[in-house]
Each structure stands twice: as structure tokens, then as C-alpha cells.
Amino acid sequence: MADEAASKTEAGEPTPDLRGQLLKLIVEVGPLAVFFLVNARAGIYWGTGLFMGATVISLIASRILFGRIPPMPLITGAFVLVFGGLTVWLQDDHFIKLKPTIVNGLFAAALFGGLLAGHSLLKIVFGEVFRLTEEGWRKLTFRWACFFTCLALLNEIVWRTVSTDTWVSFKVFAIMPLTMIFAVAQLGLLKAHEAPSN
């Protein structure tokens, strides 16, 4: 049986862990893909409305497939519904364009605020995933707070200076890759400040 499983993996079929990661990626990226495609064909208001629906489906799928909804997608999803709802209701796309600025700004403020109070909020959220020293948690939290601040400022610059379609492309094809690149860049810190197993 083990040999059979090994041969399947060698044959190119994804391992269970890889399948799980692919599912998570699809669940997270799906609403953005819907937003981009519908906006390109039907405009920002239809795109926003279906983006809201896809976000709700994504959160439900996350709960069914993985048994939980991570805090950050849940918070982001709530803001999508609020600002997306205002966008569609008032027919004013400023609300959906402001949403990334406000969400990233709030994340940054929460992380900076936690550090000022002597706490790492990232440790509370990811303490079961990573084992870091207190210094490691402080540094990681500070870096992510700075990154969220940069994302908020970048979104402000982009939506105020380019067309709506270009902003949608930026949101879909720039923010997530930038976030993934930044996350990978933190691997050295995670390794350097890994806490002992005991």
C-alpha cells in the first residue's frame, strides 16, 4: 500500500498536503479572479456585487474544507461586504477602492498598537504555526506592520492616479504577489529566531 502511494506521488499526482495548499490558494484567490473577470466584462458595480458573493462562498468553503475560517480573511471579508455594499447601493466606486487602504491601515495600527502595549498580536494568531522567541515575534510583527502601512499608502497612490480598470488589475495581480514575496522574505527571520522545542 505504501509502495502504491509512493508510486502515485512519483507519477506526478499531488500529495495530500500539496492538494490542501492548492485548495487554500483557490479559495483565497477565487473572489479576486471573479472581481477581475466580471469588472472587465460588466464594469465595477457588477464586479463588486459578484466579488461580495464570491467572498461569502469563499468563507463558507474555507469553513467546510478546513474546519475554520482564519481571522484575517474573515475580517477582510467583512470589510468587502460593508464597502462593497456601499459601492453598489450608492453607485460610488470610491468605497471599494478605499477598502484596501482602510483594511491594511487597521491591520498596521493593530500590530503597532500591540507592540506599544508590549504584545505581539501575530503571536496570538500564529503562535500554533510558528515557534519563535519573543524577540522574533516582535521583529516579525514590526515588519508586517510596516508592510501593511506600505500597502495602504500604495493603494492610495494607485487608485487616485489611474483608471478603475488599472486599479482592479493592480489589486488582483500586484497586492497578492507582493504579499507572498514579502512573506517568503521573512523565512530568514523565522529561522534565525526559532524557539527551542522545549
Side-chain angles (χ1 to χ4, degrees):
M1 186 69 70
D3 291 339
E4 182 181 347
S7 64
K8 286 184 178 180
T9 301
E10 289 171 2
E13 293 186 11
T15 62
D17 184 61
L18 181 57
R19 281 196 296 268
Q21 295 302 318
L22 288 173
L23 277 175
K24 285 183 181 179
L25 184 62
I26 292 170
V27 167
E28 291 177 8
V29 175
L32 286 175
V34 169
F35 185 42
F36 175 76
L37 293 172
V38 177
N39 173 75
R41 290 181 173 273
I44 189 68
Y45 299 113
W46 275 101
T48 300
L50 291 179
F51 182 35
M52 293 165 59
T55 298
V56 172
I57 292 171
S58 171
L59 293 174
I60 294 171
S62 181
R63 180 69 177 86
I64 293 172
L65 294 172
F66 312 117
R68 61 189 290 270
I69 302 175
M72 290 181 68
L74 182 61
I75 294 169
T76 302
F79 275 94
V80 167
L81 295 180
V82 171
F83 284 87
L86 289 171
T87 297
V88 174
W89 182 35
L90 300 175
Q91 292 292 286
D92 185 344
D93 62 8
H94 285 87
F95 291 104
I96 197 66
K97 291 176 179 178
L98 279 169
K99 192 272 298 179
T101 300
I102 294 173
V103 170
N104 288 310
L106 286 175
F107 283 154
L111 294 180
F112 279 131
L115 287 176
L116 289 173
H119 303 290
S120 168
L121 297 183
L122 285 187
K123 182 179 180 181
I124 297 172
V125 178
F126 296 110
E128 295 180 0
V129 180
F130 304 114
R131 300 179 60 87
L132 300 178
T133 63
E134 290 303 318
E135 181 185 3
W137 282 116
R138 283 194 301 272
K139 288 183 177 180
L140 187 65
T141 300
F142 180 77
R143 289 185 183 186
W144 275 103
C146 291
F147 178 71
F148 285 130
T149 301
C150 290
L151 283 185
L153 294 173
L154 185 59
N155 184 69
E156 278 298 291
I157 293 169
V158 172
W159 83 260
R160 292 176 185 274
T161 57
V162 302
S163 68
T164 296
D165 287 344
T166 303
W167 173 78
V168 171
S169 297
F170 160 78
K171 177 175 172 57
V172 175
F173 297 110
I175 290 182
M176 181 164 285
L178 284 173
T179 303
M180 294 176 70
I181 290 169
F182 181 80
V184 170
Q186 306 316 303
L187 292 178
L189 184 149
L190 296 177
K191 187 67 176 176
H193 294 279
E194 187 175 4
S197 299
N198 292 334

PDB file of all heavy atoms in Angstrom, residues 48-79:
ATOM      1  N   THR A  48     -18.113  44.319  -8.314  1.00  0.00           N
ATOM      2  CA  THR A  48     -18.155  44.417  -6.852  1.00  0.00           C
ATOM      3  C   THR A  48     -19.240  43.520  -6.268  1.00  0.00           C
ATOM      4  O   THR A  48     -19.022  42.829  -5.267  1.00  0.00           O
ATOM      5  CB  THR A  48     -18.399  45.879  -6.426  1.00  0.00           C
ATOM      6  OG1 THR A  48     -17.329  46.696  -6.918  1.00  0.00           O
ATOM      7  CG2 THR A  48     -18.467  45.997  -4.919  1.00  0.00           C
ATOM      8  N   GLY A  49     -20.413  43.523  -6.888  1.00  0.00           N
ATOM      9  CA  GLY A  49     -21.505  42.687  -6.386  1.00  0.00           C
ATOM     10  C   GLY A  49     -21.153  41.206  -6.394  1.00  0.00           C
ATOM     11  O   GLY A  49     -21.373  40.497  -5.396  1.00  0.00           O
ATOM     12  N   LEU A  50     -20.587  40.739  -7.487  1.00  0.00           N
ATOM     13  CA  LEU A  50     -20.215  39.320  -7.555  1.00  0.00           C
ATOM     14  C   LEU A  50     -18.977  39.029  -6.715  1.00  0.00           C
ATOM     15  O   LEU A  50     -18.805  37.909  -6.230  1.00  0.00           O
ATOM     16  CB  LEU A  50     -20.000  38.912  -9.009  1.00  0.00           C
ATOM     17  CG  LEU A  50     -21.287  38.892  -9.852  1.00  0.00           C
ATOM     18  CD1 LEU A  50     -20.997  38.494 -11.279  1.00  0.00           C
ATOM     19  CD2 LEU A  50     -22.325  37.960  -9.245  1.00  0.00           C
ATOM     20  N   PHE A  51     -18.116  40.020  -6.521  1.00  0.00           N
ATOM     21  CA  PHE A  51     -16.976  39.887  -5.605  1.00  0.00           C
ATOM     22  C   PHE A  51     -17.478  39.620  -4.194  1.00  0.00           C
ATOM     23  O   PHE A  51     -16.953  38.762  -3.470  1.00  0.00           O
ATOM     24  CB  PHE A  51     -16.152  41.180  -5.649  1.00  0.00           C
ATOM     25  CG  PHE A  51     -14.930  41.179  -4.792  1.00  0.00           C
ATOM     26  CD1 PHE A  51     -14.160  40.038  -4.591  1.00  0.00           C
ATOM     27  CD2 PHE A  51     -14.513  42.352  -4.165  1.00  0.00           C
ATOM     28  CE1 PHE A  51     -13.018  40.057  -3.808  1.00  0.00           C
ATOM     29  CE2 PHE A  51     -13.375  42.388  -3.381  1.00  0.00           C
ATOM     30  CZ  PHE A  51     -12.628  41.240  -3.204  1.00  0.00           C
ATOM     31  N   MET A  52     -18.529  40.322  -3.784  1.00  0.00           N
ATOM     32  CA  MET A  52     -19.121  40.108  -2.461  1.00  0.00           C
ATOM     33  C   MET A  52     -19.656  38.682  -2.346  1.00  0.00           C
ATOM     34  O   MET A  52     -19.404  37.983  -1.355  1.00  0.00           O
ATOM     35  CB  MET A  52     -20.239  41.114  -2.227  1.00  0.00           C
ATOM     36  CG  MET A  52     -19.776  42.564  -2.106  1.00  0.00           C
ATOM     37  SD  MET A  52     -21.144  43.733  -2.266  1.00  0.00           S
ATOM     38  CE  MET A  52     -22.197  43.215  -0.901  1.00  0.00           C
ATOM     39  N   GLY A  53     -20.404  38.253  -3.361  1.00  0.00           N
ATOM     40  CA  GLY A  53     -20.953  36.898  -3.335  1.00  0.00           C
ATOM     41  C   GLY A  53     -19.865  35.839  -3.305  1.00  0.00           C
ATOM     42  O   GLY A  53     -19.949  34.860  -2.552  1.00  0.00           O
ATOM     43  N   ALA A  54     -18.826  36.042  -4.120  1.00  0.00           N
ATOM     44  CA  ALA A  54     -17.721  35.081  -4.165  1.00  0.00           C
ATOM     45  C   ALA A  54     -16.971  35.047  -2.838  1.00  0.00           C
ATOM     46  O   ALA A  54     -16.481  33.994  -2.421  1.00  0.00           O
ATOM     47  CB  ALA A  54     -16.767  35.434  -5.301  1.00  0.00           C
ATOM     48  N   THR A  55     -16.877  36.203  -2.166  1.00  0.00           N
ATOM     49  CA  THR A  55     -16.208  36.247  -0.865  1.00  0.00           C
ATOM     50  C   THR A  55     -16.965  35.436   0.170  1.00  0.00           C
ATOM     51  O   THR A  55     -16.370  34.690   0.955  1.00  0.00           O
ATOM     52  CB  THR A  55     -16.072  37.712  -0.389  1.00  0.00           C
ATOM     53  OG1 THR A  55     -15.255  38.433  -1.325  1.00  0.00           O
ATOM     54  CG2 THR A  55     -15.441  37.787   0.980  1.00  0.00           C
ATOM     55  N   VAL A  56     -18.287  35.554   0.186  1.00  0.00           N
ATOM     56  CA  VAL A  56     -19.105  34.767   1.119  1.00  0.00           C
ATOM     57  C   VAL A  56     -18.936  33.273   0.836  1.00  0.00           C
ATOM     58  O   VAL A  56     -18.748  32.460   1.754  1.00  0.00           O
ATOM     59  CB  VAL A  56     -20.591  35.170   1.012  1.00  0.00           C
ATOM     60  CG1 VAL A  56     -21.467  34.215   1.829  1.00  0.00           C
ATOM     61  CG2 VAL A  56     -20.780  36.600   1.494  1.00  0.00           C
ATOM     62  N   ILE A  57     -18.986  32.901  -0.443  1.00  0.00           N
ATOM     63  CA  ILE A  57     -18.796  31.492  -0.816  1.00  0.00           C
ATOM     64  C   ILE A  57     -17.415  31.007  -0.390  1.00  0.00           C
ATOM     65  O   ILE A  57     -17.250  29.886   0.112  1.00  0.00           O
ATOM     66  CB  ILE A  57     -18.990  31.315  -2.334  1.00  0.00           C
ATOM     67  CG1 ILE A  57     -20.454  31.567  -2.711  1.00  0.00           C
ATOM     68  CG2 ILE A  57     -18.566  29.917  -2.780  1.00  0.00           C
ATOM     69  CD1 ILE A  57     -20.716  31.633  -4.201  1.00  0.00           C
ATOM     70  N   SER A  58     -16.401  31.861  -0.550  1.00  0.00           N
ATOM     71  CA  SER A  58     -15.037  31.507  -0.171  1.00  0.00           C
ATOM     72  C   SER A  58     -14.928  31.238   1.333  1.00  0.00           C
ATOM     73  O   SER A  58     -14.283  30.274   1.754  1.00  0.00           O
ATOM     74  CB  SER A  58     -14.083  32.633  -0.573  1.00  0.00           C
ATOM     75  OG  SER A  58     -12.794  32.426  -0.043  1.00  0.00           O
ATOM     76  N   LEU A  59     -15.563  32.080   2.144  1.00  0.00           N
ATOM     77  CA  LEU A  59     -15.513  31.892   3.598  1.00  0.00           C
ATOM     78  C   LEU A  59     -16.236  30.611   4.006  1.00  0.00           C
ATOM     79  O   LEU A  59     -15.761  29.862   4.873  1.00  0.00           O
ATOM     80  CB  LEU A  59     -16.133  33.100   4.305  1.00  0.00           C
ATOM     81  CG  LEU A  59     -15.373  34.423   4.161  1.00  0.00           C
ATOM     82  CD1 LEU A  59     -16.159  35.561   4.783  1.00  0.00           C
ATOM     83  CD2 LEU A  59     -13.981  34.318   4.795  1.00  0.00           C
ATOM     84  N   ILE A  60     -17.374  30.344   3.378  1.00  0.00           N
ATOM     85  CA  ILE A  60     -18.116  29.107   3.672  1.00  0.00           C
ATOM     86  C   ILE A  60     -17.291  27.887   3.250  1.00  0.00           C
ATOM     87  O   ILE A  60     -17.201  26.896   3.988  1.00  0.00           O
ATOM     88  CB  ILE A  60     -19.478  29.113   2.961  1.00  0.00           C
ATOM     89  CG1 ILE A  60     -20.382  30.216   3.539  1.00  0.00           C
ATOM     90  CG2 ILE A  60     -20.161  27.745   3.080  1.00  0.00           C
ATOM     91  CD1 ILE A  60     -21.661  30.438   2.754  1.00  0.00           C
ATOM     92  N   ALA A  61     -16.657  27.964   2.079  1.00  0.00           N
ATOM     93  CA  ALA A  61     -15.824  26.859   1.596  1.00  0.00           C
ATOM     94  C   ALA A  61     -14.648  26.619   2.539  1.00  0.00           C
ATOM     95  O   ALA A  61     -14.284  25.470   2.821  1.00  0.00           O
ATOM     96  CB  ALA A  61     -15.319  27.152   0.191  1.00  0.00           C
ATOM     97  N   SER A  62     -14.054  27.696   3.040  1.00  0.00           N
ATOM     98  CA  SER A  62     -12.940  27.567   3.980  1.00  0.00           C
ATOM     99  C   SER A  62     -13.389  26.844   5.242  1.00  0.00           C
ATOM    100  O   SER A  62     -12.679  25.979   5.762  1.00  0.00           O
ATOM    101  CB  SER A  62     -12.385  28.950   4.331  1.00  0.00           C
ATOM    102  OG  SER A  62     -11.294  28.854   5.217  1.00  0.00           O
ATOM    103  N   ARG A  63     -14.577  27.172   5.723  1.00  0.00           N
ATOM    104  CA  ARG A  63     -15.109  26.526   6.939  1.00  0.00           C
ATOM    105  C   ARG A  63     -15.386  25.045   6.695  1.00  0.00           C
ATOM    106  O   ARG A  63     -15.086  24.202   7.545  1.00  0.00           O
ATOM    107  CB  ARG A  63     -16.395  27.238   7.369  1.00  0.00           C
ATOM    108  CG  ARG A  63     -17.038  26.657   8.622  1.00  0.00           C
ATOM    109  CD  ARG A  63     -16.187  26.921   9.844  1.00  0.00           C
ATOM    110  NE  ARG A  63     -16.805  26.442  11.059  1.00  0.00           N
ATOM    111  CZ  ARG A  63     -16.691  25.203  11.524  1.00  0.00           C
ATOM    112  NH1 ARG A  63     -15.969  24.306  10.850  1.00  0.00           N
ATOM    113  NH2 ARG A  63     -17.280  24.841  12.644  1.00  0.00           N
ATOM    114  N   ILE A  64     -15.930  24.722   5.532  1.00  0.00           N
ATOM    115  CA  ILE A  64     -16.270  23.327   5.222  1.00  0.00           C
ATOM    116  C   ILE A  64     -15.014  22.502   4.961  1.00  0.00           C
ATOM    117  O   ILE A  64     -14.861  21.388   5.479  1.00  0.00           O
ATOM    118  CB  ILE A  64     -17.216  23.267   4.013  1.00  0.00           C
ATOM    119  CG1 ILE A  64     -18.572  23.872   4.372  1.00  0.00           C
ATOM    120  CG2 ILE A  64     -17.393  21.820   3.544  1.00  0.00           C
ATOM    121  CD1 ILE A  64     -19.506  24.040   3.191  1.00  0.00           C
ATOM    122  N   LEU A  65     -14.103  23.044   4.140  1.00  0.00           N
ATOM    123  CA  LEU A  65     -12.929  22.280   3.718  1.00  0.00           C
ATOM    124  C   LEU A  65     -11.858  22.172   4.799  1.00  0.00           C
ATOM    125  O   LEU A  65     -11.212  21.129   4.935  1.00  0.00           O
ATOM    126  CB  LEU A  65     -12.317  22.919   2.461  1.00  0.00           C
ATOM    127  CG  LEU A  65     -13.170  22.872   1.193  1.00  0.00           C
ATOM    128  CD1 LEU A  65     -12.532  23.705   0.095  1.00  0.00           C
ATOM    129  CD2 LEU A  65     -13.340  21.425   0.720  1.00  0.00           C
ATOM    130  N   PHE A  66     -11.662  23.242   5.560  1.00  0.00           N
ATOM    131  CA  PHE A  66     -10.544  23.278   6.504  1.00  0.00           C
ATOM    132  C   PHE A  66     -10.979  23.333   7.962  1.00  0.00           C
ATOM    133  O   PHE A  66     -10.144  23.352   8.864  1.00  0.00           O
ATOM    134  CB  PHE A  66      -9.629  24.470   6.193  1.00  0.00           C
ATOM    135  CG  PHE A  66      -9.282  24.573   4.728  1.00  0.00           C
ATOM    136  CD1 PHE A  66      -9.674  25.669   3.971  1.00  0.00           C
ATOM    137  CD2 PHE A  66      -8.582  23.555   4.094  1.00  0.00           C
ATOM    138  CE1 PHE A  66      -9.369  25.753   2.624  1.00  0.00           C
ATOM    139  CE2 PHE A  66      -8.274  23.627   2.747  1.00  0.00           C
ATOM    140  CZ  PHE A  66      -8.670  24.736   2.006  1.00  0.00           C
ATOM    141  N   GLY A  67     -12.284  23.379   8.200  1.00  0.00           N
ATOM    142  CA  GLY A  67     -12.782  23.342   9.567  1.00  0.00           C
ATOM    143  C   GLY A  67     -12.712  24.664  10.309  1.00  0.00           C
ATOM    144  O   GLY A  67     -13.122  24.752  11.460  1.00  0.00           O
ATOM    145  N   ARG A  68     -12.195  25.712   9.664  1.00  0.00           N
ATOM    146  CA  ARG A  68     -12.087  27.004  10.327  1.00  0.00           C
ATOM    147  C   ARG A  68     -11.959  28.110   9.289  1.00  0.00           C
ATOM    148  O   ARG A  68     -11.615  27.852   8.141  1.00  0.00           O
ATOM    149  CB  ARG A  68     -10.871  27.053  11.261  1.00  0.00           C
ATOM    150  CG  ARG A  68      -9.548  26.848  10.526  1.00  0.00           C
ATOM    151  CD  ARG A  68      -8.383  26.685  11.503  1.00  0.00           C
ATOM    152  NE  ARG A  68      -8.075  27.935  12.183  1.00  0.00           N
ATOM    153  CZ  ARG A  68      -7.207  28.837  11.724  1.00  0.00           C
ATOM    154  NH1 ARG A  68      -6.571  28.624  10.586  1.00  0.00           N
ATOM    155  NH2 ARG A  68      -6.968  29.933  12.395  1.00  0.00           N
ATOM    156  N   ILE A  69     -12.255  29.325   9.727  1.00  0.00           N
ATOM    157  CA  ILE A  69     -12.030  30.499   8.885  1.00  0.00           C
ATOM    158  C   ILE A  69     -10.933  31.318   9.551  1.00  0.00           C
ATOM    159  O   ILE A  69     -11.119  31.805  10.667  1.00  0.00           O
ATOM    160  CB  ILE A  69     -13.309  31.343   8.742  1.00  0.00           C
ATOM    161  CG1 ILE A  69     -14.440  30.500   8.149  1.00  0.00           C
ATOM    162  CG2 ILE A  69     -13.039  32.565   7.868  1.00  0.00           C
ATOM    163  CD1 ILE A  69     -15.769  31.226   8.096  1.00  0.00           C
ATOM    164  N   PRO A  70      -9.767  31.471   8.901  1.00  0.00           N
ATOM    165  CA  PRO A  70      -8.684  32.254   9.502  1.00  0.00           C
ATOM    166  C   PRO A  70      -9.134  33.682   9.793  1.00  0.00           C
ATOM    167  O   PRO A  70      -9.983  34.232   9.078  1.00  0.00           O
ATOM    168  CB  PRO A  70      -7.580  32.224   8.432  1.00  0.00           C
ATOM    169  CG  PRO A  70      -7.884  31.016   7.612  1.00  0.00           C
ATOM    170  CD  PRO A  70      -9.382  30.893   7.615  1.00  0.00           C
ATOM    171  N   PRO A  71      -8.587  34.297  10.857  1.00  0.00           N
ATOM    172  CA  PRO A  71      -9.046  35.635  11.262  1.00  0.00           C
ATOM    173  C   PRO A  71      -8.915  36.700  10.176  1.00  0.00           C
ATOM    174  O   PRO A  71      -9.850  37.482   9.969  1.00  0.00           O
ATOM    175  CB  PRO A  71      -8.135  35.969  12.462  1.00  0.00           C
ATOM    176  CG  PRO A  71      -7.649  34.652  12.966  1.00  0.00           C
ATOM    177  CD  PRO A  71      -7.581  33.750  11.776  1.00  0.00           C
ATOM    178  N   MET A  72      -7.775  36.742   9.484  1.00  0.00           N
ATOM    179  CA  MET A  72      -7.570  37.827   8.515  1.00  0.00           C
ATOM    180  C   MET A  72      -8.544  37.756   7.334  1.00  0.00           C
ATOM    181  O   MET A  72      -9.136  38.776   6.969  1.00  0.00           O
ATOM    182  CB  MET A  72      -6.110  37.859   8.048  1.00  0.00           C
ATOM    183  CG  MET A  72      -5.166  38.328   9.145  1.00  0.00           C
ATOM    184  SD  MET A  72      -3.444  38.422   8.645  1.00  0.00           S
ATOM    185  CE  MET A  72      -3.489  39.765   7.488  1.00  0.00           C
ATOM    186  N   PRO A  73      -8.755  36.581   6.708  1.00  0.00           N
ATOM    187  CA  PRO A  73      -9.775  36.528   5.650  1.00  0.00           C
ATOM    188  C   PRO A  73     -11.178  36.866   6.160  1.00  0.00           C
ATOM    189  O   PRO A  73     -11.968  37.466   5.428  1.00  0.00           O
ATOM    190  CB  PRO A  73      -9.704  35.076   5.164  1.00  0.00           C
ATOM    191  CG  PRO A  73      -8.315  34.650   5.481  1.00  0.00           C
ATOM    192  CD  PRO A  73      -7.967  35.334   6.778  1.00  0.00           C
ATOM    193  N   LEU A  74     -11.460  36.512   7.410  1.00  0.00           N
ATOM    194  CA  LEU A  74     -12.778  36.821   7.973  1.00  0.00           C
ATOM    195  C   LEU A  74     -12.964  38.330   8.114  1.00  0.00           C
ATOM    196  O   LEU A  74     -14.004  38.886   7.736  1.00  0.00           O
ATOM    197  CB  LEU A  74     -12.938  36.138   9.329  1.00  0.00           C
ATOM    198  CG  LEU A  74     -14.290  36.327  10.016  1.00  0.00           C
ATOM    199  CD1 LEU A  74     -15.408  35.754   9.156  1.00  0.00           C
ATOM    200  CD2 LEU A  74     -14.276  35.657  11.393  1.00  0.00           C
ATOM    201  N   ILE A  75     -11.937  39.002   8.645  1.00  0.00           N
ATOM    202  CA  ILE A  75     -12.007  40.457   8.804  1.00  0.00           C
ATOM    203  C   ILE A  75     -12.084  41.133   7.434  1.00  0.00           C
ATOM    204  O   ILE A  75     -12.906  42.024   7.203  1.00  0.00           O
ATOM    205  CB  ILE A  75     -10.782  40.965   9.591  1.00  0.00           C
ATOM    206  CG1 ILE A  75     -10.821  40.436  11.028  1.00  0.00           C
ATOM    207  CG2 ILE A  75     -10.736  42.493   9.590  1.00  0.00           C
ATOM    208  CD1 ILE A  75      -9.538  40.659  11.799  1.00  0.00           C
ATOM    209  N   THR A  76     -11.212  40.690   6.518  1.00  0.00           N
ATOM    210  CA  THR A  76     -11.222  41.264   5.166  1.00  0.00           C
ATOM    211  C   THR A  76     -12.566  41.045   4.492  1.00  0.00           C
ATOM    212  O   THR A  76     -13.097  41.946   3.826  1.00  0.00           O
ATOM    213  CB  THR A  76     -10.096  40.646   4.319  1.00  0.00           C
ATOM    214  OG1 THR A  76      -8.843  40.874   4.975  1.00  0.00           O
ATOM    215  CG2 THR A  76     -10.053  41.252   2.935  1.00  0.00           C
ATOM    216  N   GLY A  77     -13.131  39.840   4.663  1.00  0.00           N
ATOM    217  CA  GLY A  77     -14.436  39.537   4.070  1.00  0.00           C
ATOM    218  C   GLY A  77     -15.533  40.454   4.598  1.00  0.00           C
ATOM    219  O   GLY A  77     -16.394  40.903   3.838  1.00  0.00           O
ATOM    220  N   ALA A  78     -15.490  40.744   5.902  1.00  0.00           N
ATOM    221  CA  ALA A  78     -16.483  41.655   6.478  1.00  0.00           C
ATOM    222  C   ALA A  78     -16.380  43.042   5.841  1.00  0.00           C
ATOM    223  O   ALA A  78     -17.391  43.677   5.515  1.00  0.00           O
ATOM    224  CB  ALA A  78     -16.290  41.738   7.988  1.00  0.00           C
ATOM    225  N   PHE A  79     -15.157  43.519   5.630  1.00  0.00           N
ATOM    226  CA  PHE A  79     -14.964  44.826   5.007  1.00  0.00           C
ATOM    227  C   PHE A  79     -15.403  44.809   3.543  1.00  0.00           C
ATOM    228  O   PHE A  79     -15.924  45.816   3.040  1.00  0.00           O
ATOM    229  CB  PHE A  79     -13.503  45.263   5.126  1.00  0.00           C
ATOM    230  CG  PHE A  79     -13.199  45.940   6.428  1.00  0.00           C
ATOM    231  CD1 PHE A  79     -12.700  45.217   7.496  1.00  0.00           C
ATOM    232  CD2 PHE A  79     -13.420  47.302   6.592  1.00  0.00           C
ATOM    233  CE1 PHE A  79     -12.420  45.834   8.708  1.00  0.00           C
ATOM    234  CE2 PHE A  79     -13.142  47.927   7.792  1.00  0.00           C
ATOM    235  CZ  PHE A  79     -12.643  47.202   8.861  1.00  0.00           C
TER     236      PHE A  79
END
